Amino acid sequence: MKFSSLIGNEPIKRRLQRSVADGRIGQSLIFAGQRGIGKHQFALALAQAVNCLQPLEGDACGVCTNCKKFAAREFTDVKTIEPIGQFIKVEQMREMSEEANFMPYEGRRRVYILDEAERLNLAAANSILKILEEPPDTSLLLLITAKPYALLETIRSRCQMLNFAPLATSALEAYLQANYKRPLAETTLLARLARGSIGRALEIDLGEYKEKRGAMMELLEALTVSRDSIRLMSFAEMLGRKLDKAGFENHVDLLLLLLEDLFHLKLGKSIDALTNADILPRLEAVAEVTSLEKIMEWVEKLEAVLQNLARNINRHIAMEALLITA
Ligand SMILES: [Zn+2]
């Protein structure tokens, strides 16, 4: 993994490359930022760069013996440590701390990448304080987390923290376009749904999304264009009774996303502001017969229903009230 093949977070990339080039990379770093924006990939790029035999401007060369081993996942001085079950355990951290004191086996630095570092339990966290305080020159500890506030203060204060930002939609779209074969409209939709996270973009099942969206779009049409009360009753039945709680939340979230698009349309925003730009004509038809006030009212009511779910309200009655009296 080379820095040059990564997208987004350019300032962090430049800073890390400069530090590698100057030979003054810290010993313990925290990579903080939401899930799926490339923190682990950056950690791998850094691990490779510090172990490359002929780095160029702080980036790995990609062709030396170490780089080749790295690409084949055979490079033994770089390890990723993940939680076992719910936590990163004290045994894992003791083993790491002991090992880190040995000279690297074949590279320059022994690199440990701790994924989901906020899952270090108290004992495990305490067991690495010593190595954070007196790290061997030949070790590099990279703590990856989406919840930096959940790390112990004693750990945070001993590491340098780098804050990763979500990717711009356009950058994510370009990345997906270059790496995955898909019609452009689908790539655009995926990039917008993922809200800056490559990880999320790769997890989303577009077929499933479109199916649910189709249903929620029909609901909006029945509510506005056709004013089909029989159809609305059956939607209230589906949302209120047939779906489980997670399925219900999922559909309502989608409905809110469609309402957000309608809101943008009513405000005269450009198509670039819409998540579901691929169904523009259908959205426009609904927007045409609906007022901005009505859209805002639905959003408010739906959010109230979601909030009240915790109190076990009768979903069916709530949905009927929302759809039939609307
Ligand atoms: Zn190399």
Side-chain angles (χ1 to χ4, degrees), residues 48-49 51-55 59-68:
Q48 186 173 349
N51 280 300
C52 173
L53 299 174
Q54 46 191 22
D59 200 357
C61 73
V63 293
C64 71
T65 330
N66 284 356
C67 280
K68 279 189 179 147

Side-chain angles (χ1 to χ4, degrees), residues 3-295:
F3 280 119
S4 59
S5 66
L6 299 174
I7 58 161
N9 287 290
E10 292 300 327
I12 291 183
K13 196 193 284 185
R14 280 196 298 275
R15 184 167 158 191
L16 288 174
Q17 283 189 243
R18 222 168 27 236
S19 304
V20 172
D22 299 347
R24 49 173 183 79
I25 198 90
Q27 238 107 21
S28 320
L29 307 177
I30 296 172
F31 286 6
Q34 73 175 51
R35 271 188 63 229
I37 54 177
K39 300 186 299 297
H40 188 86
Q41 302 298 318
F42 269 71
L44 289 175
L46 179 59
Q48 186 173 349
V50 297
N51 280 300
C52 173
L53 299 174
Q54 46 191 22
L56 198 69
E57 289 172 2
D59 200 357
C61 73
V63 293
C64 71
T65 330
N66 284 356
C67 280
K68 279 189 179 147
K69 279 198 167 178
F70 202 97
R73 295 166 188 254
E74 286 167 2
F75 191 71
T76 49
D77 288 322
V78 174
K79 284 191 180 149
T80 295
I81 299 171
E82 294 169 329
I84 296 177
Q86 244 199 309
F87 294 107
I88 298 180
K89 304 220 155 69
V90 66
E91 298 78 32
Q92 291 172 280
M93 291 299 91
R94 284 209 188 110
E95 191 186 321
M96 177 191 82
S97 302
E98 272 170 34
E99 205 185 86
N101 282 307
F102 290 107
M103 289 298 287
Y105 184 66
E106 51 192 339
R108 295 197 171 93
R109 306 267 290 255
R110 282 184 185 266
V111 185
Y112 298 93
I113 303 171
L114 269 61
D115 271 339
E116 298 186 74
E118 74 280 359
R119 290 173 185 262
L120 277 165
N121 67 22
L122 190 63
N126 284 331
S127 78
I128 63 167
L129 290 182
K130 186 165 157 26
I131 195 141
L132 289 175
E133 258 163 23
E134 299 163 26
D137 292 343
T138 52
S139 75
L140 174 59
L141 224 62
L142 304 173
L143 281 69
I144 310 234
T145 182
K147 299 175 181 163
Y149 49 85
L151 287 171
L152 288 182
E153 174 56 27
T154 44
I155 290 198
R156 255 184 298 158
S157 61
R158 287 167 172 83
C159 300
Q160 188 187 353
M161 173 120 65
L162 299 177
N163 290 301
F164 284 69
L167 304 174
T169 305
S170 55
L172 183 52
E173 195 176 332
Y175 173 83
L176 293 172
Q177 189 68 12
N179 292 284
Y180 301 90
K181 247 186 142 53
R182 264 199 204 92
L184 183 60
E186 289 196 354
T187 302
T188 307
L189 175 61
L190 206 51
R192 290 177 187 188
L193 284 173
R195 313 246 155 165
S197 160
I198 296 184
R200 209 174 303 147
L202 299 180
E203 279 170 10
I204 294 170
D205 179 338
L206 262 193
E208 193 188 311
Y209 174 80
K210 283 186 173 177
E211 197 185 307
K212 286 180 185 159
R213 182 183 67 178
M216 290 303 95
M217 200 57 218
E218 257 183 61
L219 180 151
L220 284 173
E221 284 159 351
L223 198 55
T224 56
V225 183
S226 61
R227 297 186 161 270
D228 183 341
S229 53
I230 309 253
R231 196 87 186 87
L232 288 173
M233 297 274 266
S234 78
F235 274 119
E237 171 82 16
M238 173 188 108
L239 289 166
R241 286 195 212 275
K242 289 187 185 150
L243 294 171
D244 62 7
K245 186 162 170 278
F248 174 77
E249 283 172 331
N250 217 289
H251 278 81
V252 172
D253 282 342
L254 225 154
L255 203 48
L256 285 167
L257 207 56
L258 290 169
L259 287 167
E260 184 187 87
D261 281 348
L262 290 173
F263 184 78
H264 288 322
L265 273 180
K266 291 305 276 188
L267 291 179
K269 296 232 176 124
S270 84
I271 186 168
D272 288 336
L274 307 182
T275 303
N276 298 284
D278 58 318
I279 51 165
L280 182 65
R282 286 178 80 179
L283 287 169
E284 277 176 336
V286 172
E288 202 162 302
V289 295
T290 315
S291 68
L292 192 59
E293 290 70 30
K294 204 76 203 165
I295 294 169

